Amino acid sequence: MEKDFIGIDEDILAERKRAKRREQGVALVILSPFVIIFVLFCVVPFIMGFAYSFMRYDPYNSDYTAFIGFKNYSNLFNTDINVSKQFWESFGPMLVFDLVAVPLLMIIPFILAYFINMRPPCYKFFRACIYLPCVVSISILGIMFGEMFAGDETGLINSWFGTNIDWLGGKPFENDILRWIIILIATIWWQTGANFVIFSGALRDIPKSLYEACEMDGGGRWQSVIRVTIPNMRPAINITLFNTLIGFLSLYGQPYVLNTLENQDIFVSPMMFIQSYLSNGLAYAKQTGYLCASAIIFGLIIMVISFVERRVMEERHPTAKHVAAYKRYCDFRTQRLEPAKGESK
Amino acid sequence: MNKKFAGILCAALALTIPLTAAACNGGGNGGGEWWSTTGELEKNGDEIVFNDVGLRLASIVAGADKEAFNQIVAQFNAEYSGKIRVSVTTVGYESFEDYVARSVKQGDKSAPDIVMGHQSSVKSFLDYKVIQPIDVVMEQTGFDYDLNAFSMGINQYANAGTEHHFGVTVDAASMVVFYNKELLGQYSQAVPSTREELFTVCEAYANATGNVPIAWGTGSDFFTEFIMNTAVLQNGGTLYKDDMSVDWYDNTAQRDVYKKALESVRSFVTNTPKLAEVGGDDSSRLGDFRANKAMFYVTVPWLFDSVCQGYAAENGCTEEVARTEKLGATSIAGWFAMDSSKDYAKKIYCDAHMFNLSNKVTDITQKAACLEFMKWFTTNADAGTQWARAGHVSISNVINTKDAYKNDAVVAGYINKWYPDINDLNTVGINPYYQELAKNLRAIISEGLLKKDNSGDEELLRTKQNEYNSNIALWGGDL
Amino acid sequence: MNFVKGKRKLTKSEKHSRREKIVSFIVLAIASVFFLLPLIYMFGNSFKTDLDLQLHPGSLFPSPGEWTLKHYEGFLWRDGKIDNMPIWMLNSLWSSLATVGITLLLDLITAYAVIFLKFKGKKVFMNILYAWMAVPGVITLAPQLTLFNMFSSVIGVDGFAGNYIYIYLWLILPGCTGIYNMLLMRNFFLSIPNDIIDSAKSDGAGHFTIFRKIACPLAKSTMMLIVLFTFTGAWNNLVWPQLLMSGKDSYFQTVTVALTGFTGGNGYGAKGAAMATGVFALIPIFIIFFITQNKMIDGLASTGVKG
């Protein structure tokens, strides 16, 4: 940069330098609130958590504190210890649930957004209905679905069908498939709105001309979805997929509120495991380091999964480029209104 | 660029290490006495002079009984106006121990002087040195307070296994039974007091009407915990060993007891005709009792008012009539004892509240004031009655022998019928891993009740025993 | 299509679009029933008497003549003082709004600084943030709790008001550091053509003017998106508030934390009261929702989502 100014008056140079320094100062002032909060509430606790995971640490007794190397981690990976077994077992139900729930929470909002985009009568009402559950808090969701699917005759669904099914009972991988279906329904009910809103915004902004071009190519509805809609919504899909995935890996609220006595103490997600031991009486305080280690391992697993997800989504970038080319080509053609020869399929 | 990155990392580390170190503040004082005493006692004759001493009390009582507790404290404050003033902070069950330990260790201004928690916390409190012995204070002040005038089944744990006395157990609560006087009167002259009598009456009623005679909700936390533990005690078992581990399966005598206990509860459900149902909670079963279908209703004592009100509303009578004429009370003593001749057959497992003196208190006058409050609460008949009406029977022999307490309508009609002999009451004692214990015992009964026969019981006991032992080995910090 | 007979003959694409609308209307109507049913069920049942709840669990609304407000009694005023319920709602409401406000402000100014200001270490700063996005919040839970407790004794937090402010500080501020939102904002600012900024600068506008007059108005749709993400996130947050508030005065709780007492295996006690509590807790948020939803959703043009 400075090279450009060679030969210019010294004063101007100094003036610019001062301006630069001033800008530096302004930037520092502007950034400082974010940085301070970020360091205090994220960075420091993170490093502390990392440190604790290598320590025998009891928040109420400093005499107990000692550096013990990888002991916490070796305990965590030793499945002979029942608690460690619980930790690893808690991944199972969560992962299976995510495998089903994440795709559904992409597809269902997409379908609904697609229909909303057709602007049927009272679409604004429908839109509000679909988004509404997002502002219902998880505990109220628990009250509603818990009572609807209550295990005895007092539940809405049981009394509608005259059954006596224990919807929310059972144990993971044994007989609690119904419970997970209910949790899935409740989750779809609760979380569809968030993705739906983003999708419908993205859908609305796809130029009509692209569809028309596709139609002229002889592409049906299905083809227009594949070739125009989805590629053009890629940014929106990327964001929602990432958010949904990360959110569901930390599954906690739904199983916490939808359970019965029989399975309320069984951890079905690592988040439940950590949360339940973290603040549950003095009896657990001696193993705070162990709990920090389990949080770090869980965090690492989330990191790996989200990294893989991003990698997979990135690899399709060439396709996105292709789509951009296709889009330009379509724009060009819709303007000229003449089919290009030899190029159309 | 990398240098800068490393620099920032170093700065962050430098910031964190003192914080990490600082977070480990408030250490223990090693062995010996960890408490200290300051100040001089001012006496007027034999009486200690209190001059507007302010005390903070941390209470775990957070349910429907919270109001009653606050009122009793208000009454104390009124009586001791100008002398002692107690202010109550209610702390939720989940973090009660954390709260007390942290605030006392850190020396917070808001830390409690008196701790009213569950009895099971006393061992943890002692391990972390957040409470101090009260017998020492009594010696120092010459305070007159009989620490043995309590139901010893419960208060035996007040010394937490040491030579000192660390607390005063106040009350107890367990599952209680209401019965429908009219229905029972048709089938029996007396209220059944043993398991055999109970079965005879219930079977006669079930055969005659086709109704399920006992309404209970096996899906509630309270039911599973109280009933399972009571069944174990009534069959002569112990809940855990002295070293806090359990031998429910490994010890054949215990295994038999636990199997008997499971069977004794299960037989209510598997019996023909069926005497009770599996599942549901107190509120979903209450309907059967209010509609005069069920003869007995097993529930928790603090729902007393709502049971009477609900029954009165549905049967078109006043609450007073429902309480005195329509409904009666009996206890679960003997319900689960396979051999009713044994002396342990009438035992009832209870949950108990306990007063502890926090280690924050150093001033001698303040210590005496804390004791004064504990003494008042456990000897004042009025306080005992009010607290009993909120669902917590007094285990103080002083209160129990006072006429004002004994003659109270609710105490005479219900409380004393629910807990016929306070010396038969038992608690979980001083196990710091109480939550793990309760969790596993709850799991045993709720899983055991789902099975039709006892074929899976041994395996169930073995799994739960090993899980508990493995868990406490980790949480104890030995690993 | 019989019903269009006699009218002007519709073109193919008009017919097509009409059919489209009918199909989508039907699908959305069914979906709306699904999304409304649990709410209607809760609303209707909260007015049932205890007996009616017992006898007719399968009906959505109370039997005729059996409507009762019994379960709602005392929600606002109980025993001569304000009941917990309105307090919980206010707690949730103001803390969520504060989280949204602070997040927006922080994201706007930080993103502005990153894009429009030149300063040393910008690259390092951004690299750290990018790397941090991958760090899940769960790792910091336990140490955050330790810090929370430690500072409280260092500062000597005492009394009702002190505790309240302290807890809510810890509830709100950690929620404002979402890097994701900041990057959304940054990406948006990146898309503002430099010419606009340069011409404003040559007109003598300072950073504050550019920020206020150009950057903020342009960023409206991204702001909407951040509002949406942050508000629903803060309102539904359970894990962290649960840790902070357990064992504190019940006046301190948020609705989400307070109402977990009515659910699942904890669900002990009256069904009607649970329902009424749920309905009551939803009232303020629904009012806000119905006032703002149209603008908010409409304002969410996809320009906000540039991944």
Side-chain angles (χ1 to χ4, degrees):
Chain A
M1 282 289 248
E2 310 240 330
K3 269 180 197 162
D4 300 342
F5 302 119
I6 290 177
I8 295 180
D9 199 334
E10 283 283 314
D11 283 354
I12 298 177
L13 213 73
E15 174 64 28
R16 276 177 195 265
K17 250 187 181 165
R18 224 174 298 139
K20 215 174 162 188
R21 207 170 297 145
R22 204 169 52 229
E23 194 158 306
Q24 181 93 25
V26 172
L28 208 71
V29 170
I30 294 180
L31 285 179
S32 57
F34 183 85
V35 171
I36 290 172
I37 295 181
F38 178 68
V39 168
L40 192 63
F41 292 102
C42 297
V43 179
V44 170
F46 172 75
I47 298 173
M48 279 167 75
F50 203 70
Y52 290 163
S53 74
F54 294 100
M55 279 155 65
R56 206 170 60 180
Y57 173 68
D58 181 342
Y60 308 108
N61 185 2
S62 59
D63 292 348
Y64 188 73
T65 307
F67 180 78
I68 52 167
F70 285 90
K71 188 78 183 132
N72 286 325
Y73 288 95
S74 70
N75 276 344
L76 190 65
F77 283 96
N78 179 1
T79 49
D80 288 341
I81 298 169
N82 185 46
V83 180
S84 304
K85 206 171 111 211
Q86 282 178 339
F87 174 71
W88 293 108
E89 280 175 350
S90 72
F91 277 91
M94 185 266 292
L95 288 174
V96 174
F97 178 73
D98 286 0
L99 223 54
V100 180
V102 174
L104 276 179
L105 272 167
M106 298 299 288
I107 294 166
I108 292 174
F110 178 81
I111 293 172
L112 292 175
Y114 192 78
F115 280 121
I116 281 284
N117 204 37
M118 291 174 181
R119 299 289 158 90
C122 12
Y123 78 96
K124 283 194 169 168
F125 170 76
F126 293 141
R127 202 172 61 178
C129 288
I130 295 169
Y131 186 63
L132 190 60
C134 270
V135 295
V136 174
S137 59
I138 181 72
S139 29
I140 296 178
L141 174 141
I143 295 174
M144 279 189 283
F145 281 82
E147 299 289 1
M148 283 171 81
F149 292 96
D152 43 32
E153 314 81 54
T154 62
L156 178 74
I157 305 296
N158 268 344
S159 84
W160 273 3
F161 297 104
T163 49
N164 201 357
I165 300 168
D166 186 16
W167 295 99
L168 297 173
K171 292 189 161 179
F173 298 114
E174 279 176 29
N175 51 358
D176 69 342
I177 183 77
L178 278 175
R179 179 183 175 211
W180 288 102
I181 291 174
I182 309 297
I183 292 180
L184 185 65
I185 292 173
T187 307
I188 290 171
W189 181 84
W190 190 42
Q191 289 287 285
T192 294
N195 291 351
F196 161 80
V197 167
I198 294 169
F199 284 161
S200 61
L203 268 173
R204 199 175 46 199
D205 280 18
I206 300 174
K208 279 251 156 53
S209 53
L210 293 184
Y211 289 107
E212 281 158 17
C214 187
E215 203 174 311
M216 256 169 229
D217 275 351
R221 174 167 300 280
W222 187 240
Q223 283 224 312
S224 80
V225 170
I226 302 277
R227 290 183 156 205
V228 181
T229 316
I230 293 181
N232 277 292
M233 283 174 59
R234 178 152 295 279
I237 292 177
N238 271 344
I239 277 197
T240 42
L241 183 62
F242 183 77
N243 277 352
T244 314
L245 188 73
I246 297 299
F248 275 89
L249 286 172
S250 316
L251 180 73
Y252 174 67
Q254 294 94 314
Y256 179 76
V257 297
L258 292 172
N259 56 40
T260 61
L261 186 68
E262 187 191 354
N263 50 29
Q264 69 174 1
D265 292 327
I266 301 174
F267 305 119
V268 290
S269 94
M271 202 64 206
M272 272 182 110
F273 174 91
I274 294 166
Q275 178 87 350
S276 102
Y277 285 132
L278 213 49
S279 161
N280 213 354
L282 289 174
Y284 304 102
K286 287 198 184 84
Q287 290 289 357
T288 307
Y290 172 85
L291 293 175
C292 285
S294 72
I296 286 193
I297 294 295
F298 175 45
L300 271 178
I301 290 171
I302 293 187
M303 272 168 89
V304 168
I305 293 176
S306 59
F307 182 73
V308 168
E309 187 264 350
R310 271 198 228 170
R311 247 322 175 30
V312 169
M313 294 307 283
E314 252 171 35
E315 262 174 33
R316 301 222 179 115
H317 264 156
T319 340
K321 252 183 226 159
H322 180 73
V323 167
Y326 178 77
K327 192 175 152 186
R328 274 201 301 279
Y329 159 75
C330 287
D331 283 344
F332 170 76
R333 253 188 356 176
T334 40
Q335 276 157 19
R336 294 289 184 87
L337 284 177
E338 58 177 32
K341 281 161 200 151
E343 277 189 61
S344 61
K345 202 177 77 171
Chain B
M1 198 61 67
N2 275 337
K3 244 184 198 168
K4 274 181 195 161
F5 194 86
I8 291 171
L9 233 158
C10 285
L13 264 172
L15 190 68
T16 312
I17 286 169
L19 284 174
T20 317
C24 316
N25 63 345
N29 311 16
E33 295 183 1
W34 60 89
W35 59 91
S36 59
T37 311
T38 58
E40 286 275 333
L41 211 54
E42 196 186 322
K43 278 198 176 182
N44 182 6
D46 263 354
E47 270 191 23
I48 303 167
V49 177
F50 298 110
N51 195 4
D52 201 20
V53 184
L55 297 178
R56 285 171 187 264
L57 185 150
S59 146
I60 203 170
V61 178
D65 37 3
K66 178 179 154 188
E67 274 309 308
F69 184 74
N70 289 347
Q71 265 175 20
I72 298 172
V73 174
Q75 192 185 329
F76 174 84
N77 286 341
E79 271 182 40
Y80 283 77
S81 168
K83 294 179 191 163
I84 305 174
R85 192 170 22 85
V86 177
S87 56
V88 180
T89 313
T90 303
V91 181
Y93 170 77
E94 289 88 359
S95 54
F96 183 79
E97 291 182 2
D98 290 314
Y99 168 79
V100 172
R102 182 169 39 75
S103 58
V104 173
K105 288 232 118 174
Q106 292 178 343
D108 285 6
K109 266 185 281 170
S110 61
D113 302 310
I114 307 171
V115 180
M116 189 206 199
H118 285 300
Q119 191 198 31
S120 45
S121 304
V122 69
K123 186 81 169 77
S124 291
F125 285 155
L126 186 57
D127 287 348
Y128 283 100
K129 297 174 180 157
V130 294
I131 54 175
Q132 54 179 312
I134 55 175
D135 50 344
V136 174
V137 179
M138 282 169 60
E139 239 168 69
Q140 288 169 340
T141 57
F143 196 89
D144 178 35
Y145 185 16
D146 186 1
L147 293 176
N148 293 318
F150 292 92
S151 148
M152 287 326 276
I154 290 176
N155 211 31
Q156 60 176 318
Y157 302 108
N159 60 7
T162 65
E163 74 262 31
H164 285 301
H165 223 84
F166 283 97
V168 179
T169 325
V170 187
D171 60 34
S174 184
M175 283 314 243
V176 300
V177 186
F178 290 88
Y179 67 84
N180 187 317
K181 279 187 177 163
E182 200 176 316
L183 287 184
L184 184 68
Q186 290 167 16
Y187 294 89
S188 165
Q189 295 302 313
V191 182
S193 64
T194 64
R195 185 179 167 83
E196 293 75 28
E197 287 170 24
L198 180 73
F199 269 60
T200 320
V201 174
C202 286
E203 277 172 13
Y205 174 70
N207 284 330
T209 62
N211 289 334
V212 177
I214 298 171
W216 68 24
T218 64
S220 91
D221 276 3
F222 292 109
F223 179 89
T224 41
E225 188 181 327
F226 286 131
I227 294 298
M228 178 67 199
N229 299 4
T230 300
V232 169
L233 293 177
Q234 289 187 359
N235 288 295
T238 52
L239 297 174
Y240 56 92
K241 293 196 291 187
D242 288 342
D243 63 350
M244 307 301 158
S245 69
V246 299
D247 54 357
W248 302 330
Y249 178 83
D250 290 348
N251 180 339
T252 44
Q254 287 291 327
R255 197 196 307 172
D256 285 342
V257 169
Y258 275 76
K259 278 166 74 181
K260 254 196 236 169
L262 257 177
E263 193 52 41
S264 73
V265 184
R266 192 192 283 123
S267 55
F268 281 90
V269 180
T270 52
N271 191 49
T272 29
K274 202 191 259 181
L275 303 185
E277 302 260 19
V278 179
D281 59 24
D282 293 52
S283 58
S284 63
R285 295 282 174 234
L286 180 57
D288 293 339
F289 184 66
R290 289 198 312 211
N292 295 314
K293 276 190 203 157
M295 195 184 259
F296 297 97
Y297 176 50
V298 184
T299 187
V300 285
W302 50 90
L303 290 184
F304 176 67
D305 281 337
S306 73
V307 172
C308 293
Q309 276 163 14
Y311 187 88
E314 195 164 329
N315 292 282
C317 60
T318 64
E319 200 187 326
E320 179 73 17
V321 171
R323 206 179 65 211
T324 52
E325 289 167 29
K326 304 281 186 182
L327 303 180
T330 181
S331 92
I332 53 172
W335 274 34
F336 306 99
M338 290 306 217
D339 183 353
S340 34
S341 64
K342 291 284 194 309
D343 55 351
Y344 44 70
K346 297 274 185 191
K347 281 192 176 175
I348 299 177
Y349 171 85
C350 288
D351 190 10
H353 289 121
M354 184 180 222
F355 284 131
N356 299 118
L357 181 58
S358 138
N359 200 31
K360 173 200 170 198
V361 194
T362 52
D363 182 65
I364 187 87
T365 318
Q366 218 167 3
K367 285 187 184 181
C370 292
L371 249 61
E372 185 70 34
F373 174 77
M374 295 179 195
K375 185 179 175 182
W376 181 86
F377 203 101
T378 50
T379 51
N380 185 302
D382 207 25
T385 314
Q386 278 187 55
W387 194 226
R389 277 174 170 244
H392 304 275
V393 61
S394 174
I395 61 151
S396 152
N397 286 332
V398 179
I399 290 181
N400 261 293
T401 47
K402 283 193 176 160
D403 287 342
Y405 178 78
K406 276 194 297 191
N407 297 339
D408 180 78
V410 175
V411 173
Y414 287 87
I415 310 288
N416 282 342
K417 301 259 173 66
W418 285 335
Y419 314 100
D421 183 351
I422 56 167
N423 289 312
D424 278 337
L425 304 183
N426 250 281
T427 74
V428 75
I430 50 169
N431 190 336
Y433 310 107
Y434 160 76
Q435 291 196 36
E436 290 285 341
L437 186 75
K439 191 158 93 178
N440 283 293
L441 284 169
R442 277 205 304 262
I444 290 179
I445 185 85
S446 59
E447 277 175 43
L449 276 182
L450 292 178
K451 306 229 169 64
K452 294 272 168 285
D453 53 39
N454 61 5
S455 57
D457 287 0
E458 289 204 0
E459 181 56 28
L460 189 62
L461 288 170
R462 199 178 60 82
T463 335
K464 293 300 167 197
Q465 168 202 292
N466 293 344
E467 276 182 19
Y468 171 87
N469 287 340
S470 164
N471 286 3
I472 67 159
L474 180 74
W475 301 125
D478 301 336
L479 292 176
Chain C
M1 294 233 165
N2 283 331
F3 58 88
V4 294
K5 236 179 208 172
K7 287 188 185 163
R8 173 179 72 88
K9 206 175 178 211
L10 294 170
T11 65
K12 193 185 162 198
S13 94
E14 269 177 323
K15 245 194 217 165
H16 189 72
S17 124
R18 174 161 281 209
R19 203 171 58 220
E20 236 178 21
K21 285 192 171 167
I22 293 169
V23 171
S24 68
F25 182 82
I26 294 168
V27 171
L28 290 169
I30 294 170
S32 297
V33 170
F34 167 71
F35 284 105
L36 286 182
L37 183 71
L39 293 169
I40 294 171
Y41 168 71
M42 183 166 77
F43 181 76
N45 273 254
S46 70
F47 294 105
K48 282 185 179 178
T49 60
D50 282 335
L51 189 64
D52 204 21
L53 277 169
Q54 205 113 52
L55 296 178
H56 308 108
S59 65
L60 289 179
F61 288 99
S63 320
E66 295 266 311
W67 291 68
T68 173
L69 272 172
K70 201 188 108 206
H71 304 304
Y72 286 89
E73 277 167 18
F75 270 164
L76 287 174
W77 198 260
R78 202 192 299 264
D79 302 333
K81 52 182 179 180
I82 299 176
D83 190 50
N84 288 348
M85 211 40 218
I87 306 262
W88 292 338
M89 287 191 293
L90 282 177
N91 286 344
S92 273
L93 209 59
W94 86 260
S95 65
S96 301
L97 289 176
T99 311
V100 169
I102 296 174
T103 307
L104 262 188
L105 193 68
L106 279 182
D107 287 350
L108 275 170
I109 60 172
T110 312
Y112 183 86
V114 167
I115 296 297
F116 298 118
L117 292 178
K118 293 192 188 77
F119 58 93
K120 273 186 201 162
K122 190 195 276 187
K123 244 191 176 155
V124 180
F125 180 67
M126 288 315 292
N127 280 344
I128 292 178
L129 290 194
Y130 271 122
W132 201 267
M133 267 180 70
V135 176
V138 57
I139 296 180
T140 58
L141 273 184
Q144 271 184 338
L145 203 62
T146 313
L147 279 180
F148 168 77
N149 291 330
M150 201 179 80
F151 282 135
S152 95
S153 70
V154 170
I155 309 170
V157 176
D158 193 22
F160 188 85
N163 266 308
Y164 186 86
I165 294 168
Y166 186 68
I167 288 180
Y168 275 85
L169 204 71
W170 273 89
L171 182 68
I172 293 167
L173 288 184
C176 298
T177 50
I179 295 167
Y180 193 81
N181 294 330
M182 210 282 282
L183 292 181
L184 274 184
M185 195 51 94
R186 172 194 168 269
N187 287 355
F188 174 76
F189 281 159
L190 207 55
S191 72
I192 297 179
N194 265 335
D195 309 352
I196 302 180
I197 308 295
D198 288 345
S199 67
K201 266 186 188 163
S202 63
D203 286 351
H207 282 301
F208 185 65
T209 320
I210 297 175
F211 176 72
R212 209 164 45 101
K213 292 266 168 69
I214 300 174
C216 288
L218 281 175
K220 244 180 196 157
S221 57
T222 310
M223 279 157 74
M224 281 293 180
L225 196 74
I226 293 176
V227 168
L228 183 87
F229 281 159
T230 321
F231 188 81
T232 46
W235 182 262
N236 288 325
N237 198 0
L238 179 62
V239 174
W240 180 233
Q242 213 175 24
L243 287 177
L244 281 186
M245 284 162 191
S246 67
K248 299 296 181 325
D249 199 302
S250 60
Y251 271 115
F252 291 175
Q253 290 180 340
T254 60
V255 167
T256 309
V257 174
L259 295 196
T260 49
F262 286 105
T263 58
N266 310 320
Y268 185 76
K271 182 173 168 175
M275 297 280 188
T277 318
V279 173
F280 201 72
L282 281 180
I283 293 171
I285 187 83
F286 274 17
I287 292 172
I288 292 179
F289 175 76
F290 279 113
I291 294 170
T292 58
Q293 58 96 9
N294 231 338
K295 262 200 189 123
M296 189 161 78
I297 302 179
D298 270 334
L300 261 181
S302 69
T303 37
V305 192
K306 288 252 190 297

